[in-house]
Amino acid sequence: MSFSQSFPPGPVRHQPQPYQHDPPPHHPRRRRREDDEPYHPYPQPQSRSHPYANAATVSYHAHRDPLASSHHLQELASGPPPPKRARRAPEPQRYDPPAPAAAPVPPTRQPDDGDALLSRDEIERRSPSRKDGIDSASEARLRASYCAYLRCLGFRLGLPQTTIATAAVYCHRFFFRRSHACHDRFLVATAALFLASKTEETTCLLNTILRASCEVSQNQEFNLLPYMMRGQNWFELYRESVIQAEQMILTTLDFELDVAHPYASLSSSLSRLGLSHSVIFNVAWNLINEGLQSSLWLQFKPHHIAAGAAFLAGKFLRYDITIHQNFWHEFKTAPPIVQDVVQQLKELL
């Protein structure tokens, strides 16, 4: 076989041909001539009329047809858009630094009878027992009687001193608003101890408290026989009476059950003074327990009571505790307040 066309020696190389749909090759721009039109980077407006010039007679704020299939039809009917050059560039947003936040104003709370600090004269004058013919001396004896009952009942149940003290403060607040002549103090004290065992997280069963109160009532000083002489179901009646007394305490105190005791302040302050393991600490602790019989918890803050007890304990032991320069600073109190606390503690001894 012979071929009319001769091929060069060597491997055959395929030269690609441009496809039909390939774009035309790029030609470099020729040099600009003098007779050429000036070059404008942006297109110039043409002299012919705008395609939407006939629609200029339509109001720009035309009512939109809710049945229109597209918003583009409504835009055409509303008139031509402004030319591109007439559109102003958006102004840069102005940054205004935020105004400084105002200092939070603590809510103004009106002083409540249950947790506000009152003077001793005000407590004696505003006591509702005065209207029923009970003077201040008789009320002090009644207050001491239910405090002694709470102490005996708490010791029998094995409750901590803070729970017993909380129950005593509940009774003080309750009888500051209610008269002794209208309520049985031992019944209220039993309900207060049951309530304090729950708030201080030393929960004790109600039936256990009731049985212990019946055992304590064998003492002639705490007479609960009226609840035991109502028939065979006297225990159920006594239980219902204590539950009702607890509800009455909650409503009377307006559910304000927070009580701060001076025990923690006494321990921390004497520890910083180096007297936590001294006799002064034990004597001051016992003086605070004795102070529960009075209305000190309604008159002073916990660290004031602790300072007065520590000062009086030093006096009993013939030790001037004020030789420690940080005594007034640690207890955060002043000499007049301590003297007032010491005077009321002396009246209980």
Side-chain angles (χ1 to χ4, degrees), residues 89-121:
E91 298 181 358
Q93 296 182 357
R94 180 179 176 181
Y95 174 76
D96 295 332
V105 180
T108 58
R109 178 184 176 185
Q110 298 295 333
D112 194 4
D113 296 340
D115 54 358
L117 298 180
L118 305 172
S119 63
R120 186 178 184 180
D121 297 338

Side-chain angles (χ1 to χ4, degrees), residues 95-97 132 149 165 170 193 276 311 328 336:
Y95 174 76
D96 295 332
D132 296 326
Y149 169 76
Y170 288 166
L193 186 63
S276 59
F311 185 86
W328 306 106

Side-chain angles (χ1 to χ4, degrees), residues 25-31:
H26 176 71
H27 297 283
R29 184 182 298 274
R30 62 182 178 82
R31 292 186 178 181

Side-chain angles (χ1 to χ4, degrees), residues 139 142-143 146-147 149-150 164-178 180 184-193 195 249 252-253 259 292 298:
E139 186 176 10
L142 295 175
R143 186 184 299 117
Y146 66 69
C147 287
Y149 169 76
L150 286 172
I164 301 174
T166 301
V169 175
Y170 288 166
C171 293
H172 295 338
R173 294 179 180 178
F174 178 82
F175 286 111
F176 177 72
R177 303 181 181 183
R178 300 296 182 97
H180 281 275
D184 186 357
R185 61 188 182 279
F186 297 121
L187 180 66
V188 173
T190 305
L193 186 63
L195 180 61
I249 291 174
T252 302
L253 301 185
V259 178
L292 285 171
L298 304 182

Side-chain angles (χ1 to χ4, degrees), residues 117 161-166 168-169 172-173 200 258-272 280-281 283-311 330-331 341 345:
L117 298 180
Q161 179 61 31
T162 53
T163 303
I164 301 174
T166 301
V169 175
H172 295 338
R173 294 179 180 178
E200 295 294 337
D258 295 336
V259 178
H261 295 292
Y263 301 106
S265 178
L266 177 68
S267 178
S268 60
S269 299
L270 291 183
S271 178
R272 287 190 292 267
I280 293 181
F281 177 78
V283 176
W285 187 283
N286 294 330
L287 287 175
I288 292 176
N289 295 337
E290 293 294 331
L292 285 171
Q293 303 178 19
S294 64
S295 59
L296 287 175
W297 269 250
L298 304 182
Q299 304 177 44
F300 303 98
K301 295 182 179 180
H303 54 273
H304 296 163
I305 302 174
F311 185 86
E330 292 294 342
F331 285 98
V341 175
L345 287 176

